[in-house]
């Protein structure tokens, strides 16, 4: 009996605190509702953009696209990129289009960081309380997106992350989740900004250009109810992507990536159990992109 009493007291104490916090958070949200902003980083891969936006649009209050006329390496974008973005804006899928001009004297990761901060600053001007940065080849299942967003709001999460499935083609993805993570939704304020390698102390890998410093009194959560579906190798022009990537990969690795979607390679990976066939859950049609 003596051993159980402190545990019972602690349980009821924690349960009471949890209920009080939940009610306070609910009352706060009633008067100060959250506003979720998203920012797409675009230079190529625009053939995937509309399909990706359509999934998150019902759950986002504001979406911008930060685009470039030239890549980190100075290569021009496709001729129809701007007109495609204007068309998506006319459909109500995009709220704001922002041109980013990279400084080719800077390292590619610094340019990418500056670009993501440009999208973040635009969201702050729209009074967004929460924010996510996303690329054209990143997809989420709608029901998972809503469940994760609701969980973040309910529990006042400031930094959220999720697993990633990498796709080789529209219907073939890796059997296991990747060994690195993607930031999902951040809680933001007027001082929030991305900083290179802000998670250097963390025990897991995250894109160095998507890291918002974790300060005292922050709530971090690895979300179990959602995965990001990354169509890493699904492109009209995959070679163009890896010719201009900001990722630090050598020529040998780039050549390996370009062979990923080769039919013989896919067959070998399938036989080895490293990739599996999945149905298309995202209604992707890259042939309607105008490229």
């Amino acid at each position: 009996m003596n051993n159980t009493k402190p545990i019972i007291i602690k349980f009821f104490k924690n349960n009471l605190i949890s209920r009080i916090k939940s009610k306070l958070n609910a009352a706060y949200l009633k008067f100060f509702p959250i506003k979720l902003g998203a920012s797409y980083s675009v230079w190529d891969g625009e053939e995937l953009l509309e399909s990706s936006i359509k999934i998150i649009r019902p759950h986002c209050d504001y979406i911008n696209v930060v685009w470039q006329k030239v890549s980190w390496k100075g290569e021009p974008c496709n001729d129809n990129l701007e007109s495609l973005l204007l068309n998506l804006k006319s459909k109500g899928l995009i709220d704001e289009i922002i041109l980013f001009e990279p400084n080719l004297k800077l390292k590619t990761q610094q340019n990418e960081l500056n670009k993501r901060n440009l999208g973040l600053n635009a969201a702050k001007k729209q009074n967004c309380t929460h924010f996510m940065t996303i690329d054209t080849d990143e997809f989420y299942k709608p029901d998972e997106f809503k469940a994760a967003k609701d969980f973040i709001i309910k529990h006042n999460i400031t930094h959220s992350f999720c697993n990633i499935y990498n796709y080789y083609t529209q219907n073939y993805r890796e059997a296991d989740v990747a060994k690195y993570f993607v930031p999902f939704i951040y809680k933001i304020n007027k001082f929030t900004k991305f900083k290179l390698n802000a998670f250097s102390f963390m025990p897991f890998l995250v894109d160095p250009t998507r890291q918002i410093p974790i300060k005292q009194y922050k709530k971090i959560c690895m979300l179990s109810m959602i995965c990001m579906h990354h169509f890493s190798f699904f492109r009209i022009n995959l070679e163009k992507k890896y010719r201009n990537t900001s990722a630090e990969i050598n020529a040998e690795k780039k050549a390996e990536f370009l062979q990923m979607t080769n039919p013989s390679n896919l067959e070998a990976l399938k036989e080895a159990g490293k990739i599996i066939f999945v149905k298309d859950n995202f209604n992707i049609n890259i042939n309607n992109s105008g490229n």
Side-chain angles (χ1 to χ4, degrees):
M1 292 294 293
N2 291 335
N3 292 332
T4 59
K5 188 175 180 180
I7 298 174
I8 294 171
I9 292 172
K10 184 177 181 181
F11 170 79
F12 280 107
K13 180 181 178 182
N14 288 345
N15 185 262
L16 178 62
I17 291 172
S18 177
R19 283 188 292 169
I20 292 172
K21 284 183 177 180
S22 180
K23 288 184 177 180
L24 288 174
N25 190 45
Y28 177 85
L29 292 173
K30 183 177 180 179
F31 293 100
F32 302 98
I34 74 109
K35 185 175 183 180
L36 175 58
S39 178
Y40 278 86
S41 173
V42 179
W43 169 71
D44 75 333
E46 64 267 25
E47 61 267 26
L48 300 169
L49 183 59
E50 183 170 357
S51 298
S52 178
I53 293 178
K54 282 181 175 178
I55 292 171
I56 71 169
R57 178 76 267 190
H59 309 289
C60 293
D61 303 283
Y62 165 79
I63 296 177
N64 70 50
V65 169
V66 186
W67 71 291
Q68 300 165 228
K69 291 184 178 180
V70 297
S71 73
W72 320 121
K73 311 293 176 64
E75 184 171 337
C77 66
N78 292 322
D79 292 339
N80 70 329
L81 176 55
E82 185 173 13
S83 61
L84 182 148
L85 297 179
L86 290 170
N87 181 45
L88 295 180
K89 189 172 187 293
S90 71
K91 293 180 179 180
L93 293 175
I94 298 172
D95 296 301
E96 187 175 3
I97 301 170
I98 304 166
L99 177 65
F100 174 74
E101 298 181 6
N103 181 346
L104 301 184
K105 294 181 181 179
L106 295 177
K107 291 184 177 180
T108 54
Q109 286 190 349
Q110 185 62 54
N111 267 316
E112 186 169 340
L113 182 83
N114 295 343
K115 185 180 182 183
R116 294 195 190 279
N117 273 319
L118 186 59
L120 169 61
N121 289 337
K124 289 193 286 187
K125 289 179 181 178
Q126 296 297 320
N127 299 313
C128 290
T129 60
H130 293 71
F131 178 78
M132 65 183 299
T133 181
I134 184 169
D135 292 340
T136 63
D137 56 4
E138 299 175 2
F139 290 76
Y140 295 92
K141 292 183 177 180
D143 55 337
E144 292 182 355
F145 193 100
K146 183 182 185 304
K149 178 187 173 184
D150 290 346
F151 180 87
I152 288 164
I153 295 167
K154 180 180 179 180
H155 296 280
N156 198 24
I157 304 300
T158 61
H159 293 63
S160 64
F161 308 85
C162 66
N163 286 115
I164 301 169
Y165 277 119
N166 285 313
Y167 283 67
Y168 288 63
T169 69
Q170 192 166 0
N171 295 109
Y172 280 102
R173 70 160 170 80
E174 291 181 345
D176 298 320
V177 293
K179 295 180 180 179
Y180 49 91
F181 298 83
V182 63
F184 183 52
I185 293 174
Y186 288 109
K187 188 175 182 180
I188 63 172
N189 57 46
K190 64 180 180 179
F191 302 109
T192 303
K193 65 179 181 179
F194 290 104
K195 183 179 179 182
L196 280 177
N197 297 309
F199 299 160
S200 57
F201 63 93
M202 298 288 268
F204 53 82
L205 297 176
V206 177
D207 184 336
T209 69
R210 302 195 198 192
Q211 301 179 12
I212 291 175
I214 298 173
K215 299 179 181 179
Q216 198 171 13
Y217 306 120
K218 299 301 181 183
K219 292 184 73 175
I220 306 161
C221 185
M222 300 298 295
L223 301 169
S224 60
M225 74 285 288
I226 188 170
C227 274
M228 188 263 276
H229 298 261
H230 191 198
F231 286 79
S232 319
F233 307 106
F234 188 52
R235 283 289 201 285
I236 285 178
N237 190 338
L238 186 61
E239 198 278 333
K240 183 179 181 182
K241 171 185 175 177
Y242 285 107
R243 190 167 64 240
N244 292 277
T245 181
S246 65
E248 296 178 354
I249 55 177
N250 57 35
E252 183 179 346
K253 198 67 176 176
K254 287 180 183 179
E256 179 185 332
F257 286 158
L258 293 175
Q259 290 297 315
M260 288 296 193
T261 58
N262 183 290
S264 61
N265 182 63
L266 291 175
E267 189 60 32
L269 290 170
K270 183 181 176 182
E271 288 293 325
K274 293 184 177 181
I275 64 173
I276 60 173
F277 180 88
V278 293
K279 67 178 183 178
D280 176 19
N281 291 297
F282 307 106
N283 298 313
I284 302 173
N285 188 349
I286 63 175
N287 295 319
N288 285 340
S289 65
N291 287 300

